Amino acid sequence: MLCEVEEGPAGVVHDPGKALLDVALAVALGGDCLADVAMLRCEPAVFGPVASDPTISRLIDTLAASGEKALQAIRSARSEVRNRVWSLAGENAPDTGGQVVIDLDGVLVITHSDKQDAAATWKKTYGHHPLTAFVDHGPGGTGEPVAALLRPGNAGSNTAADHITTVRLALAQLPKRYRQGRQTLIRTDSAGGTHDFVSWLAKRGRWLSYSVGMTVTEAIHEHVLKVPAAAWTPAVEADGEVRDGAWVAELTGRLLDGWPKGMRLIVRKERPHPGAQLRITDADGMRITCFATNTPGRPIAELELRHRLRARVEDRIRAARATGLRNLPLHRAAQNRVWLEIVQIALDLLAGGTPGRSLGEDADARADRQGPAVGAPPPAVPPVLRGRPARHHRPTQDSPPRPALALDRRDRRRPRTARAPARPRLTGSFPPSRRQPHPPRAVEPGAHPTRQPGRRPAHHPSRKAKRSTDSVGGPSRKIEVNAL
């Protein structure tokens, strides 16, 4: 479908796939609307012929009118390209360790106009609430987007049907060997801790691994209070060191009734950071969190660390916001679904050139581009660069005149004249005053010091304004001074 051509207003033929890729490239360069493709149009020698704004607008309308057929064509093309890139990446591919990790999380996209499916969100804002999925590339990469489900702003965070749809779209982007089996791990926060979603992941024939957050209910809180002190295991950091002030334990018993077979419930307690407020479900001044997994035979501290690394998805969403997901520029929901696919293509283009995790880049080239490691001594500065740069002094009066420039601009500097001699300064001394001070007055015994004869009272006489009419008949103002 995307291989068909479209004719522009000047008779220029544009390939729809090329036009869609141009928009994605403009978004990867910082654009946030369809009109930003103009930055590519300015360099035809680099990007080739770029469709005009009306042509791109008609293309988006055509794709939106086709509905799921057009979206499926775009997703199929992205899946084929991803399989090819992963095969060429070798040891830098996300599946190097034999497991693919998919992180799910929702994102709020605020809108400032009335668009289709825009509604009030749970954060008291207005916009949409898409659900996204990213393939984890580790601590040094941005991750690859594999799904983005457009939802209204009032969509629930723990809607199992939306989570299932998003995982289906994400699995379709992976190579066929990772679309089922334990080698694919699905990680979510507590929004994915529902019976329907967990049962769908663990269904026979699908056998997906999961690590989903769970809401700390009253029953879980009561079991946490009964855990003996010897059952708590210290949590660990990514480097293998013990995490200070954090412990983990596994809960068993009737709490697992009604959940899929093989599910493990792991709880973690940690001293909150300074300034954090405890919840009603926290116990003994410790912050309590819980998650469920179906991975057997591994220490609970290692499983807790694996689930805690899901926080990297926040960096993926932050990068997506800076790459076209800050707003949905179109009005209709079908058009914005196409826009989400464009944003994912832009993020795919950036995933291959992410600092520290470039696909297909060897370790030596990545180390040279990153520079020295953290804690390493800085490189030696050449002696020439250590000194202060030479200052350009003004030419003196005896210096030869500067030659004229090629553009026939003459030197319009005024000649420096000799400085005039300094004028003598006036002295700061003044002749003494000839006015003699008044002799002190004698104060009569028993009299007030301020009511002596010949002495002016300290207060000023009061003045009252009296309105009157002059000889002409107009109003006038007479000031009458009342003597004391």
Side-chain angles (χ1 to χ4, degrees), residues 20 50 84 112-113 129 147 179 201 238 267 284 303 319 335 340 354 369 378 393 412 452 457:
L20 195 68
V50 179
R84 178 61 175 169
H112 300 280
S113 61
H129 190 188
R179 296 180 183 179
L201 294 174
V267 65
D284 299 332
L303 295 177
Q335 295 173 329
L340 287 182
T354 303
R369 180 168 48 82
H393 298 279
R412 299 184 180 182
Q452 297 298 321

PDB file of all heavy atoms in Angstrom, residues 20 50 84 112-113 129 147 179 201 238 267 284 303 319 335 340 354 369 378 393 412 452 457:
ATOM      1  N   LEU A  20       6.536   9.521   4.273  1.00  0.00           N
ATOM      2  CA  LEU A  20       6.337   9.207   5.685  1.00  0.00           C
ATOM      3  C   LEU A  20       7.672   9.138   6.422  1.00  0.00           C
ATOM      4  O   LEU A  20       7.786   9.588   7.576  1.00  0.00           O
ATOM      5  CB  LEU A  20       5.589   7.874   5.814  1.00  0.00           C
ATOM      6  CG  LEU A  20       4.985   7.563   7.181  1.00  0.00           C
ATOM      7  CD1 LEU A  20       3.835   8.513   7.467  1.00  0.00           C
ATOM      8  CD2 LEU A  20       4.509   6.116   7.239  1.00  0.00           C
ATOM      9  N   VAL A  50      11.514  16.315  -1.452  1.00  0.00           N
ATOM     10  CA  VAL A  50      10.636  16.218  -0.286  1.00  0.00           C
ATOM     11  C   VAL A  50       9.274  16.766  -0.670  1.00  0.00           C
ATOM     12  O   VAL A  50       9.173  17.814  -1.313  1.00  0.00           O
ATOM     13  CB  VAL A  50      11.216  16.992   0.913  1.00  0.00           C
ATOM     14  CG1 VAL A  50      10.288  16.904   2.116  1.00  0.00           C
ATOM     15  CG2 VAL A  50      12.597  16.453   1.269  1.00  0.00           C
ATOM     16  N   ARG A  84      16.131  -7.344  10.611  1.00  0.00           N
ATOM     17  CA  ARG A  84      17.372  -7.201   9.860  1.00  0.00           C
ATOM     18  C   ARG A  84      18.438  -6.495  10.693  1.00  0.00           C
ATOM     19  O   ARG A  84      19.609  -6.888  10.704  1.00  0.00           O
ATOM     20  CB  ARG A  84      17.087  -6.415   8.568  1.00  0.00           C
ATOM     21  CG  ARG A  84      18.305  -6.142   7.716  1.00  0.00           C
ATOM     22  CD  ARG A  84      18.971  -7.422   7.260  1.00  0.00           C
ATOM     23  NE  ARG A  84      20.082  -7.153   6.353  1.00  0.00           N
ATOM     24  CZ  ARG A  84      20.958  -8.080   5.976  1.00  0.00           C
ATOM     25  NH1 ARG A  84      20.850  -9.329   6.436  1.00  0.00           N
ATOM     26  NH2 ARG A  84      21.925  -7.762   5.145  1.00  0.00           N
ATOM     27  N   HIS A 112      -4.183  21.328  24.471  1.00  0.00           N
ATOM     28  CA  HIS A 112      -4.747  22.638  24.821  1.00  0.00           C
ATOM     29  C   HIS A 112      -5.886  23.038  23.888  1.00  0.00           C
ATOM     30  O   HIS A 112      -6.265  24.206  23.859  1.00  0.00           O
ATOM     31  CB  HIS A 112      -3.649  23.702  24.783  1.00  0.00           C
ATOM     32  CG  HIS A 112      -2.522  23.441  25.743  1.00  0.00           C
ATOM     33  ND1 HIS A 112      -2.599  23.727  27.086  1.00  0.00           N
ATOM     34  CD2 HIS A 112      -1.296  22.886  25.551  1.00  0.00           C
ATOM     35  CE1 HIS A 112      -1.464  23.389  27.684  1.00  0.00           C
ATOM     36  NE2 HIS A 112      -0.658  22.869  26.764  1.00  0.00           N
ATOM     37  N   SER A 113      -6.403  22.088  23.155  1.00  0.00           N
ATOM     38  CA  SER A 113      -7.548  22.349  22.278  1.00  0.00           C
ATOM     39  C   SER A 113      -8.453  21.126  22.295  1.00  0.00           C
ATOM     40  O   SER A 113      -8.068  20.051  22.764  1.00  0.00           O
ATOM     41  CB  SER A 113      -7.078  22.664  20.848  1.00  0.00           C
ATOM     42  OG  SER A 113      -6.367  21.569  20.308  1.00  0.00           O
ATOM     43  N   HIS A 129      -4.145   9.519  26.955  1.00  0.00           N
ATOM     44  CA  HIS A 129      -3.417   8.626  27.870  1.00  0.00           C
ATOM     45  C   HIS A 129      -2.929   7.394  27.104  1.00  0.00           C
ATOM     46  O   HIS A 129      -3.443   6.291  27.292  1.00  0.00           O
ATOM     47  CB  HIS A 129      -4.317   8.214  29.038  1.00  0.00           C
ATOM     48  CG  HIS A 129      -3.595   7.495  30.128  1.00  0.00           C
ATOM     49  ND1 HIS A 129      -4.255   6.912  31.180  1.00  0.00           N
ATOM     50  CD2 HIS A 129      -2.275   7.253  30.328  1.00  0.00           C
ATOM     51  CE1 HIS A 129      -3.379   6.342  31.974  1.00  0.00           C
ATOM     52  NE2 HIS A 129      -2.170   6.530  31.482  1.00  0.00           N
ATOM     53  N   ALA A 147       5.379  -0.566  20.603  1.00  0.00           N
ATOM     54  CA  ALA A 147       3.925  -0.416  20.607  1.00  0.00           C
ATOM     55  C   ALA A 147       3.570   0.925  21.232  1.00  0.00           C
ATOM     56  O   ALA A 147       4.253   1.409  22.141  1.00  0.00           O
ATOM     57  CB  ALA A 147       3.246  -1.551  21.375  1.00  0.00           C
ATOM     58  N   ARG A 179       8.218 -14.416  20.246  1.00  0.00           N
ATOM     59  CA  ARG A 179       6.810 -14.072  20.397  1.00  0.00           C
ATOM     60  C   ARG A 179       6.092 -14.981  21.385  1.00  0.00           C
ATOM     61  O   ARG A 179       4.932 -14.745  21.710  1.00  0.00           O
ATOM     62  CB  ARG A 179       6.115 -14.126  19.033  1.00  0.00           C
ATOM     63  CG  ARG A 179       6.673 -13.086  18.068  1.00  0.00           C
ATOM     64  CD  ARG A 179       6.002 -13.126  16.715  1.00  0.00           C
ATOM     65  NE  ARG A 179       6.613 -12.158  15.803  1.00  0.00           N
ATOM     66  CZ  ARG A 179       6.252 -11.976  14.550  1.00  0.00           C
ATOM     67  NH1 ARG A 179       5.251 -12.711  14.037  1.00  0.00           N
ATOM     68  NH2 ARG A 179       6.869 -11.084  13.794  1.00  0.00           N
ATOM     69  N   LEU A 201      -0.827 -13.670  30.295  1.00  0.00           N
ATOM     70  CA  LEU A 201       0.602 -13.858  30.070  1.00  0.00           C
ATOM     71  C   LEU A 201       1.046 -15.302  30.322  1.00  0.00           C
ATOM     72  O   LEU A 201       1.901 -15.827  29.614  1.00  0.00           O
ATOM     73  CB  LEU A 201       1.411 -12.914  30.974  1.00  0.00           C
ATOM     74  CG  LEU A 201       1.287 -11.411  30.706  1.00  0.00           C
ATOM     75  CD1 LEU A 201       2.034 -10.618  31.764  1.00  0.00           C
ATOM     76  CD2 LEU A 201       1.803 -11.059  29.321  1.00  0.00           C
ATOM     77  N   ALA A 238      22.997  -2.980  41.401  1.00  0.00           N
ATOM     78  CA  ALA A 238      23.338  -3.533  40.095  1.00  0.00           C
ATOM     79  C   ALA A 238      24.775  -4.036  40.039  1.00  0.00           C
ATOM     80  O   ALA A 238      25.088  -4.941  39.265  1.00  0.00           O
ATOM     81  CB  ALA A 238      23.112  -2.475  39.011  1.00  0.00           C
ATOM     82  N   VAL A 267       8.044  -9.303  48.348  1.00  0.00           N
ATOM     83  CA  VAL A 267       7.792  -8.008  48.964  1.00  0.00           C
ATOM     84  C   VAL A 267       9.126  -7.392  49.357  1.00  0.00           C
ATOM     85  O   VAL A 267      10.097  -8.103  49.653  1.00  0.00           O
ATOM     86  CB  VAL A 267       6.871  -8.165  50.207  1.00  0.00           C
ATOM     87  CG1 VAL A 267       7.551  -8.960  51.301  1.00  0.00           C
ATOM     88  CG2 VAL A 267       6.432  -6.809  50.717  1.00  0.00           C
ATOM     89  N   ASP A 284       6.232  -0.025  60.382  1.00  0.00           N
ATOM     90  CA  ASP A 284       7.455   0.194  61.154  1.00  0.00           C
ATOM     91  C   ASP A 284       8.366   1.223  60.492  1.00  0.00           C
ATOM     92  O   ASP A 284       9.598   1.103  60.528  1.00  0.00           O
ATOM     93  CB  ASP A 284       8.217  -1.125  61.355  1.00  0.00           C
ATOM     94  CG  ASP A 284       7.390  -2.151  62.130  1.00  0.00           C
ATOM     95  OD1 ASP A 284       6.535  -1.730  62.925  1.00  0.00           O
ATOM     96  OD2 ASP A 284       7.600  -3.359  61.917  1.00  0.00           O
ATOM     97  N   LEU A 303      15.835 -11.239  41.623  1.00  0.00           N
ATOM     98  CA  LEU A 303      14.574 -10.947  40.945  1.00  0.00           C
ATOM     99  C   LEU A 303      14.078  -9.544  41.292  1.00  0.00           C
ATOM    100  O   LEU A 303      13.506  -8.859  40.436  1.00  0.00           O
ATOM    101  CB  LEU A 303      13.531 -11.995  41.341  1.00  0.00           C
ATOM    102  CG  LEU A 303      13.816 -13.432  40.898  1.00  0.00           C
ATOM    103  CD1 LEU A 303      12.733 -14.368  41.437  1.00  0.00           C
ATOM    104  CD2 LEU A 303      13.892 -13.529  39.382  1.00  0.00           C
ATOM    105  N   ALA A 319      12.577  10.542  26.602  1.00  0.00           N
ATOM    106  CA  ALA A 319      13.119  10.712  25.256  1.00  0.00           C
ATOM    107  C   ALA A 319      12.007  10.770  24.216  1.00  0.00           C
ATOM    108  O   ALA A 319      12.106  11.505  23.228  1.00  0.00           O
ATOM    109  CB  ALA A 319      14.082   9.566  24.935  1.00  0.00           C
ATOM    110  N   GLN A 335      -5.910  10.218  12.747  1.00  0.00           N
ATOM    111  CA  GLN A 335      -4.696  10.919  12.328  1.00  0.00           C
ATOM    112  C   GLN A 335      -3.611  10.841  13.402  1.00  0.00           C
ATOM    113  O   GLN A 335      -2.426  10.660  13.100  1.00  0.00           O
ATOM    114  CB  GLN A 335      -5.024  12.381  12.017  1.00  0.00           C
ATOM    115  CG  GLN A 335      -5.961  12.579  10.839  1.00  0.00           C
ATOM    116  CD  GLN A 335      -6.378  14.027  10.684  1.00  0.00           C
ATOM    117  OE1 GLN A 335      -6.484  14.769  11.660  1.00  0.00           O
ATOM    118  NE2 GLN A 335      -6.629  14.442   9.448  1.00  0.00           N
ATOM    119  N   LEU A 340       1.497   8.621  16.010  1.00  0.00           N
ATOM    120  CA  LEU A 340       2.211   7.764  16.953  1.00  0.00           C
ATOM    121  C   LEU A 340       3.146   6.796  16.227  1.00  0.00           C
ATOM    122  O   LEU A 340       4.246   6.500  16.713  1.00  0.00           O
ATOM    123  CB  LEU A 340       1.222   7.000  17.823  1.00  0.00           C
ATOM    124  CG  LEU A 340       0.488   7.796  18.909  1.00  0.00           C
ATOM    125  CD1 LEU A 340      -0.432   6.887  19.710  1.00  0.00           C
ATOM    126  CD2 LEU A 340       1.473   8.494  19.831  1.00  0.00           C
ATOM    127  N   THR A 354      22.285   5.801  19.659  1.00  0.00           N
ATOM    128  CA  THR A 354      22.283   6.251  21.044  1.00  0.00           C
ATOM    129  C   THR A 354      23.674   6.133  21.640  1.00  0.00           C
ATOM    130  O   THR A 354      24.322   5.108  21.481  1.00  0.00           O
ATOM    131  CB  THR A 354      21.298   5.410  21.871  1.00  0.00           C
ATOM    132  OG1 THR A 354      20.008   5.513  21.280  1.00  0.00           O
ATOM    133  CG2 THR A 354      21.239   5.914  23.301  1.00  0.00           C
ATOM    134  N   ARG A 369      34.329   7.109  21.343  1.00  0.00           N
ATOM    135  CA  ARG A 369      33.369   8.198  21.208  1.00  0.00           C
ATOM    136  C   ARG A 369      32.915   8.713  22.567  1.00  0.00           C
ATOM    137  O   ARG A 369      32.627   9.894  22.724  1.00  0.00           O
ATOM    138  CB  ARG A 369      32.149   7.699  20.410  1.00  0.00           C
ATOM    139  CG  ARG A 369      31.089   8.732  20.206  1.00  0.00           C
ATOM    140  CD  ARG A 369      30.066   8.254  19.180  1.00  0.00           C
ATOM    141  NE  ARG A 369      29.621   6.920  19.456  1.00  0.00           N
ATOM    142  CZ  ARG A 369      28.664   6.624  20.342  1.00  0.00           C
ATOM    143  NH1 ARG A 369      28.125   7.591  21.055  1.00  0.00           N
ATOM    144  NH2 ARG A 369      28.284   5.381  20.536  1.00  0.00           N
ATOM    145  N   PRO A 378      41.844  13.126  33.847  1.00  0.00           N
ATOM    146  CA  PRO A 378      41.597  13.856  32.593  1.00  0.00           C
ATOM    147  C   PRO A 378      42.805  13.798  31.685  1.00  0.00           C
ATOM    148  O   PRO A 378      43.938  13.643  32.142  1.00  0.00           O
ATOM    149  CB  PRO A 378      41.312  15.289  33.062  1.00  0.00           C
ATOM    150  CG  PRO A 378      41.996  15.389  34.387  1.00  0.00           C
ATOM    151  CD  PRO A 378      41.904  14.017  35.015  1.00  0.00           C
ATOM    152  N   HIS A 393      46.718  43.879  20.993  1.00  0.00           N
ATOM    153  CA  HIS A 393      46.834  45.264  21.428  1.00  0.00           C
ATOM    154  C   HIS A 393      46.421  46.208  20.300  1.00  0.00           C
ATOM    155  O   HIS A 393      46.529  45.888  19.116  1.00  0.00           O
ATOM    156  CB  HIS A 393      48.278  45.563  21.846  1.00  0.00           C
ATOM    157  CG  HIS A 393      48.732  44.731  23.006  1.00  0.00           C
ATOM    158  ND1 HIS A 393      48.426  45.037  24.307  1.00  0.00           N
ATOM    159  CD2 HIS A 393      49.452  43.566  23.028  1.00  0.00           C
ATOM    160  CE1 HIS A 393      48.955  44.135  25.113  1.00  0.00           C
ATOM    161  NE2 HIS A 393      49.569  43.223  24.365  1.00  0.00           N
ATOM    162  N   ARG A 412      38.135  54.126   8.604  1.00  0.00           N
ATOM    163  CA  ARG A 412      37.454  55.320   9.096  1.00  0.00           C
ATOM    164  C   ARG A 412      37.807  55.638  10.540  1.00  0.00           C
ATOM    165  O   ARG A 412      37.072  56.338  11.224  1.00  0.00           O
ATOM    166  CB  ARG A 412      35.952  55.163   8.947  1.00  0.00           C
ATOM    167  CG  ARG A 412      35.515  54.973   7.513  1.00  0.00           C
ATOM    168  CD  ARG A 412      34.013  54.909   7.407  1.00  0.00           C
ATOM    169  NE  ARG A 412      33.600  54.734   6.013  1.00  0.00           N
ATOM    170  CZ  ARG A 412      32.319  54.680   5.610  1.00  0.00           C
ATOM    171  NH1 ARG A 412      31.351  54.757   6.512  1.00  0.00           N
ATOM    172  NH2 ARG A 412      32.044  54.530   4.335  1.00  0.00           N
ATOM    173  N   GLN A 452      10.550  81.321  76.092  1.00  0.00           N
ATOM    174  CA  GLN A 452      11.254  82.519  76.511  1.00  0.00           C
ATOM    175  C   GLN A 452      10.837  83.685  75.617  1.00  0.00           C
ATOM    176  O   GLN A 452      10.469  83.493  74.451  1.00  0.00           O
ATOM    177  CB  GLN A 452      12.766  82.281  76.418  1.00  0.00           C
ATOM    178  CG  GLN A 452      13.256  81.177  77.348  1.00  0.00           C
ATOM    179  CD  GLN A 452      13.002  81.531  78.800  1.00  0.00           C
ATOM    180  OE1 GLN A 452      13.161  82.705  79.204  1.00  0.00           O
ATOM    181  NE2 GLN A 452      12.578  80.570  79.603  1.00  0.00           N
ATOM    182  N   PRO A 457       8.257  80.009  68.633  1.00  0.00           N
ATOM    183  CA  PRO A 457       7.795  78.673  69.072  1.00  0.00           C
ATOM    184  C   PRO A 457       8.231  77.588  68.074  1.00  0.00           C
ATOM    185  O   PRO A 457       8.475  77.839  66.901  1.00  0.00           O
ATOM    186  CB  PRO A 457       6.277  78.829  69.120  1.00  0.00           C
ATOM    187  CG  PRO A 457       5.975  79.971  68.239  1.00  0.00           C
ATOM    188  CD  PRO A 457       7.161  80.908  68.341  1.00  0.00           C
TER     189      PRO A 457
END
